[in-house]
Amino acid sequence: MVYKINQFIFESYLSEMKTLTLFISLIITLQGWSQTNISGIVVDNKKKPVPGASVTIKDSYDGATADSLGRFKFKAFDKGNQLLVITAIGFKTVEIPVELKGGDLELPVQLKEEVTEMSAVVITAGSFEASDRKRAAAVLTSIDIVTTASANGDVTGALKTLPGAQQVGESEGLFVRGGTAAETKTFIDGTLVNNFFFSSVPGIAQRGRFSPFIFKGTVFSTGGYSALYGQALSSALILESIDLPEQSSASLNVSVIGVGAGFQQLNKQKSASWGINYGYTNLTAAFAVIKQQQEYSKAPTAHNIDANFRIKTSKNGMLKYYGFYLTNSLGFRQNSLDSLGYKDRFALTNGNMYHNLSWKENLKNKWKLNAGVSVSTNKDDIAFGMQDAAKNDVLLNGLEYKQFDVNNKGFYANARLVLEKRFKGLNTLRVGTEYNHSDDKNNFTAYNGMLFKSRLIENIYSLFAEQDVYLTNKLAAKLGARAEHSAYLNKTNLAPRASLAYKLGKESQASLAYGIFYQNPELRYQPAVNPLTFMKATHYIAQYQKTTSATTFRVEAFYKQYDNLIKTQNINGREIGSSNNGFGEASGFELFWRDKKNVKNLDYWISYSFLDTKRDFLNFPTAITPNFAAKHTASLVMKKFVTKLKTNFNLSYNYASGRPYYNIQYDANTNKTFFADQGRIPDYHNVSFALNYLPSIGKTNSKTFAVYVLSVSNVFNLKQVYGYNYSGNGMRKTELVPPSRMFIFIGAFISFGVDRSEDAINNNL
């Protein structure tokens, strides 16, 4: 009985399976009648296959992936009008209307290249960039700056090892491609910085007031810079401050020139931070060991206190503040050329305050806001005079003019607003406005007590626009224009800018740049005898660059034409602006090579610049090569970290061919200037060495991290001559040399909470 029941169940099952099989076969047959066989090949705009491209019917599971030859083939069971969607990395998505009605359908598909941030060409003509941005062809980082032996921890000192910058040791600032230091302007978080350097001291170049560690990005444009910046004939140094710290930390530093301490606090949500730092500098002990050319009555001393806060306003928004107050003073005597046996006396007391507030925010519809405001003040009390051997002030007949006091007070305010709109791909539009205000007061007290006052107030209003146009991943352009109005000059200018870049290969590209740049005449030559206008420079730049993850090679050629340079005349012993009849030109080429790979455990770079320049400006009798321009400059910088010794070794060599020197005198009879003396100084050579010892390397759970520093400038004690000082009548002269041939720095930098040593190591491996 059981057997019969099981047999019945089995026979019923077989009958149902036959029916189901017949039904499935019928469905498959019907689908075979209605399916469409889709095939084809996917190519790019150069007719080359695109392997890995995805080809699908929109809103369907039907599709295929292209093989290594770009071919694809699949069956589609949908009917009627459909959309065929083709996607591939690095290409724009394509949708093709198709009608599916069975049979075979062969489609050729061509994809267009997508302009992406990682593969697009980057416009670099005229600029060196060092930052944490992925697209930057990084050249120098903050660690690079402080570990460059010849830089002495100064931002501009490190930049002097790059092509385009001159090795000028007697005056502060960046002298770029035949331009004066005043023709290079510095910007922090977008706004102009007035008095970036410590106040001038005769014959001694001054350092910058800002630490390199407060910056995360550095763009050094030696020409052809963006329309977002202005009032710089030659160059722009664009600095971007750091964002939130990694964690709360404290720091302490002790050296032969001073002490300092600081603290940074990060909140638990890591959305806001604040910090404060104090530094004291006194060179009395250092000068007691290392004798100076000057006889100091007061060695340079300085007090500096700075504060900051950073607040994350949204996912991509950031509000940042940085400010400081700094006071410094010094005094010295040196042998007088005008009266043998007497000393020329100089004393300076300076107070400087700076505040910078910036805000970045993403707005709706792919708009971005970048706003900033900065305010600064500067006060100089300067005293000149003559003293006898007993250090008593004296007035000598005919030399009374050498005893006087100068009191300068300046107030500066800068505001800037930039709106940025991102379009398809990397195409971007930037529009904005800028306002620069300056109020300079000058009091000159003569030897007889007579007081001469002057005041100059300037307001510059600017509008600018700039468009990034990416035609393909290989071809891009930057087009811009900037308009400025000077209230003091009562003049307006319009400056077009344009750059073009073409990607030659995976790692190489060529760039071109053109631009017109305007700048107000320097304040020290105003008020002028006659109305003045903007000075003007026109830049032409061509560049080739090849970069890999470990190497950078650049070659750049340039030509600059100067117009409307300021000419001066002598009035009561002072140079006063008289006209804009000056002119000039500069041309040359530059090479840069950096290698972190090909020599084991060694990071090095080499730069070379050739400059041919002449200009007729100020009191020059004719067009000549200015005394700050060397025809040939070169630098070699090497860095090596030895893990076993936990020490980073740094060496740099700087060279400049002999610069011309002139003694230009004024002839009262002809009312013209003439060369009383001229020549060429010896070539400049400087070898500097530094080592950084990091004892915390390899220690786990260490809460204290120290870096011990030893640096020696001009290791071989070579004689360096920057030019000549002349007596008032031009009969006597003496060499203008550094305050000391060699300087030695010893210091310890200790941080609590954050280990910065790995940054130094990784940067040099």
Side-chain angles (χ1 to χ4, degrees):
M1 183 66 179
V2 173
Y3 171 77
K4 291 182 178 181
I5 293 174
N6 289 338
Q7 185 179 19
F8 174 76
I9 294 173
F10 179 71
E11 290 175 352
S12 299
Y13 174 75
L14 287 177
S15 176
E16 290 178 359
M17 288 300 296
K18 289 178 181 179
T19 303
L20 179 62
T21 303
L22 180 63
F23 179 71
I24 292 174
S25 299
L26 180 62
I27 292 175
I28 293 174
T29 302
L30 291 173
Q31 286 181 336
W33 292 341
S34 62
Q35 75 184 13
T36 304
N37 299 314
I38 302 176
S39 62
I41 183 171
V42 183
V43 297
D44 60 16
N45 53 355
K46 292 185 178 179
K47 307 300 182 183
K48 293 183 179 180
V50 181
S54 173
V55 186
T56 61
I57 299 296
K58 191 171 184 178
D59 300 326
S60 167
Y61 294 104
D62 299 332
T65 300
D67 62 18
S68 60
L69 299 177
R71 297 174 302 189
F72 65 91
K73 184 177 181 180
F74 67 94
K75 297 176 181 179
F77 298 100
D78 290 325
K79 299 175 69 176
N81 295 323
Q82 304 291 336
L83 283 176
L84 189 68
V85 181
I86 304 95
T87 61
I89 297 176
F91 295 88
K92 295 180 180 179
T93 298
V94 173
E95 293 185 354
I96 301 175
V98 294
E99 184 179 1
L100 304 182
K101 52 185 179 180
D104 297 328
L105 178 62
E106 185 172 353
L107 295 170
V109 179
Q110 185 175 20
L111 299 181
K112 292 184 178 180
E113 194 174 25
E114 175 102 63
V115 179
T116 63
E117 193 164 345
M118 294 301 295
S119 60
V121 64
V122 181
I123 297 175
T124 59
S127 68
F128 279 92
E129 182 163 345
S131 71
D132 57 3
R133 281 170 278 183
K134 294 180 181 179
R135 295 174 61 236
V139 177
L140 294 185
T141 66
S142 59
I143 296 295
D144 277 328
I145 291 171
V146 297
T147 56
T148 297
S150 60
N152 297 318
D154 186 37
V155 174
T156 55
L159 295 178
K160 287 182 180 180
T161 66
L162 298 180
Q166 290 286 318
Q167 297 291 338
V168 177
E170 70 274 23
S171 180
E172 63 277 355
L174 286 168
F175 296 77
V176 179
R177 291 182 174 174
T180 68
E183 294 173 17
T184 296
K185 294 296 176 66
T186 304
F187 303 85
I188 295 180
D189 291 335
T191 58
L192 177 67
V193 181
N194 301 90
N195 301 293
F196 182 81
F197 298 93
F198 282 91
S199 296
S200 296
V201 175
I204 305 175
Q206 299 299 294
R207 295 170 56 87
R209 301 180 191 267
F210 298 83
S211 164
F213 282 114
I214 71 170
F215 304 116
K216 70 172 182 179
T218 302
V219 176
F220 177 40
S221 175
T222 52
Y225 58 87
S226 165
L228 274 61
Y229 305 94
Q231 285 294 305
L233 282 187
S234 293
S235 173
L237 175 57
I238 303 165
L239 304 170
E240 185 178 359
S241 64
I242 58 177
D243 296 329
L244 292 170
E246 299 172 7
Q247 65 185 63
S248 299
S249 64
S251 62
L252 174 68
N253 64 79
V254 180
S255 72
V256 295
I257 64 172
V259 296
F263 180 76
Q264 291 288 325
Q265 177 68 45
L266 179 68
N267 68 356
K268 293 182 180 180
Q269 296 77 22
K270 295 188 176 182
S271 61
S273 70
W274 64 271
I276 189 169
N277 299 278
Y278 169 76
Y280 171 68
T281 303
N282 190 320
L283 274 69
T284 301
F287 285 1
V289 177
I290 304 173
K291 298 302 179 183
Q292 305 293 296
Q293 293 288 332
Q294 294 78 11
E295 178 188 327
Y296 277 88
S297 57
K298 182 176 184 180
T301 60
H303 297 269
N304 177 49
I305 183 168
D306 68 67
N308 65 79
F309 69 76
R310 306 172 184 99
I311 302 172
K312 200 168 184 180
T313 57
S314 67
K315 182 180 178 181
N316 297 301
M318 181 72 69
L319 180 68
K320 297 190 291 188
Y321 164 79
Y322 174 78
F324 69 73
Y325 178 74
L326 184 150
T327 179
N328 69 291
S329 59
L330 61 86
F332 62 79
R333 306 190 314 162
Q334 54 189 357
N335 293 329
S336 175
L337 290 173
D338 294 297
S339 185
L340 299 180
Y342 290 88
K343 302 276 188 178
D344 289 330
R345 172 178 58 85
F346 174 82
L348 166 69
T349 300
N350 169 260
N352 186 275
M353 181 176 65
Y354 175 81
H355 301 281
N356 185 301
L357 183 68
S358 63
W359 181 35
K360 288 185 177 181
E361 192 65 79
N362 282 3
L363 306 177
K364 294 181 179 179
N365 301 320
K366 295 186 178 181
W367 281 96
K368 290 183 180 181
L369 169 72
N370 189 341
V373 60
S374 64
V375 175
S376 62
T377 63
N378 189 75
K379 184 177 184 294
D380 289 323
D381 293 323
I382 304 171
F384 288 87
M386 292 188 68
Q387 292 183 338
D388 58 20
K391 299 184 179 180
N392 298 313
D393 286 348
V394 295
L395 285 176
L396 300 180
N397 290 333
L399 298 176
E400 296 89 351
Y401 68 89
K402 298 192 71 174
Q403 181 157 324
F404 60 90
D405 294 334
V406 177
N407 305 103
N408 296 322
K409 291 183 180 180
F411 173 81
Y412 313 94
N414 309 279
R416 188 167 180 262
L417 173 67
V418 181
L419 293 174
E420 179 178 310
K421 171 72 171 178
R422 182 80 170 261
F423 297 97
K424 193 173 183 181
L426 295 179
N427 295 296
T428 305
L429 172 67
R430 302 176 193 89
V431 295
T433 182
E434 184 177 0
Y435 169 67
N436 296 311
H437 168 80
S438 62
D439 183 355
D440 289 276
K441 301 175 183 177
N442 177 275
N443 292 338
F444 179 90
T445 305
Y447 71 95
N448 57 5
M450 292 186 64
L451 179 63
F452 301 89
K453 295 184 177 182
S454 65
R455 183 178 185 182
L456 194 151
I457 300 175
E458 171 66 297
N459 293 287
I460 300 177
Y461 308 90
S462 305
L463 295 173
F464 50 82
E466 185 176 78
Q467 174 80 51
D468 292 344
V469 181
Y470 284 82
L471 303 176
T472 68
N473 276 332
K474 292 189 174 183
L475 183 62
K478 186 189 293 286
L479 306 173
R482 183 182 181 91
E484 298 174 336
H485 176 76
S486 165
Y488 181 77
L489 298 177
N490 194 24
K491 301 286 185 180
T492 302
N493 67 60
L494 179 62
R497 316 271 173 90
S499 301
L500 185 69
Y502 182 72
K503 198 169 186 178
L504 300 172
K506 183 179 179 182
E507 299 168 339
S508 61
Q509 68 175 56
S511 301
L512 298 173
Y514 160 82
I516 295 178
F517 304 85
Y518 291 96
Q519 183 175 339
N520 281 29
E522 286 187 66
L523 293 177
R524 60 176 169 169
Y525 303 118
Q526 300 186 64
V529 177
N530 301 303
L532 299 177
T533 188
F534 298 103
M535 300 183 294
K536 178 184 176 183
T538 306
H539 297 195
Y540 304 88
I541 301 170
Q543 180 204 90
Y544 170 80
Q545 174 173 283
K546 183 174 182 179
T547 59
T548 67
S549 60
T551 62
T552 301
F553 173 72
R554 297 176 59 146
V555 58
E556 187 163 294
F558 66 91
Y559 173 76
K560 286 198 299 185
Q561 179 179 324
Y562 292 100
D563 295 293
N564 301 331
L565 296 181
I566 188 172
K567 292 288 292 182
T568 60
Q569 65 184 66
N570 189 295
I571 298 178
N572 297 325
R574 182 187 169 198
E575 274 194 85
I576 301 295
S578 59
S579 72
N580 284 101
N581 294 332
F583 60 92
E585 63 180 8
S587 60
F589 67 90
E590 299 160 355
L591 300 172
F592 180 83
W593 166 253
R594 183 170 188 176
D595 181 7
K596 294 184 177 183
K597 180 181 179 181
N598 294 316
V599 181
K600 187 177 180 180
N601 295 330
L602 180 70
D603 173 20
Y604 71 95
W605 70 78
I606 302 170
S607 68
Y608 168 77
S609 301
F610 171 78
L611 173 65
D612 182 17
T613 182
K614 286 187 177 182
R615 59 166 56 191
D616 181 4
F617 83 134
L618 300 183
N619 65 345
F620 286 13
T622 185
I624 55 175
T625 300
N627 60 358
F628 50 78
K631 189 174 287 291
H632 305 278
T633 56
S635 292
L636 169 64
V637 178
M638 295 186 293
K639 306 181 182 189
K640 182 179 179 65
F641 187 82
V642 181
T643 305
K644 290 183 179 180
L645 300 178
K646 301 181 180 182
T647 303
N648 188 38
F649 295 90
N650 310 296
L651 183 72
S652 65
Y653 168 64
N654 308 115
Y655 166 79
S657 59
R659 294 184 276 135
Y661 68 85
Y662 310 99
N663 179 25
I664 299 175
Q665 295 286 332
Y666 173 70
D667 187 342
N669 295 323
T670 62
N671 199 29
K672 294 182 179 180
T673 57
F674 65 96
F675 296 110
D677 186 32
Q678 58 182 308
R680 191 171 295 275
I681 62 174
D683 291 357
Y684 171 86
H685 301 272
N686 179 45
V687 178
S688 297
F689 170 78
L691 62 84
N692 308 312
Y693 173 58
L694 297 85
S696 301
I697 295 297
K699 294 183 180 180
T700 59
N701 301 321
S702 178
K703 304 230 177 190
T704 303
F705 309 94
V707 179
Y708 299 97
V709 179
L710 167 67
S711 68
V712 183
S713 62
N714 195 16
V715 172
F716 298 113
N717 203 33
L718 301 174
K719 184 177 181 180
Q720 299 165 341
V721 179
Y722 299 140
Y724 289 90
N725 287 321
Y726 291 87
S727 60
N729 58 14
M731 300 300 294
R732 287 186 290 271
K733 69 178 181 181
T734 185
E735 292 175 337
L736 179 58
V737 296
S740 62
R741 283 199 182 186
M742 180 188 295
F743 192 83
I744 300 173
F745 175 86
I746 301 173
F749 301 85
I750 304 170
S751 61
F752 307 90
V754 176
D755 184 4
R756 300 293 183 191
S757 55
E758 288 297 328
D759 295 338
I761 296 172
N762 294 336
N763 190 73
N764 293 288
L765 290 182

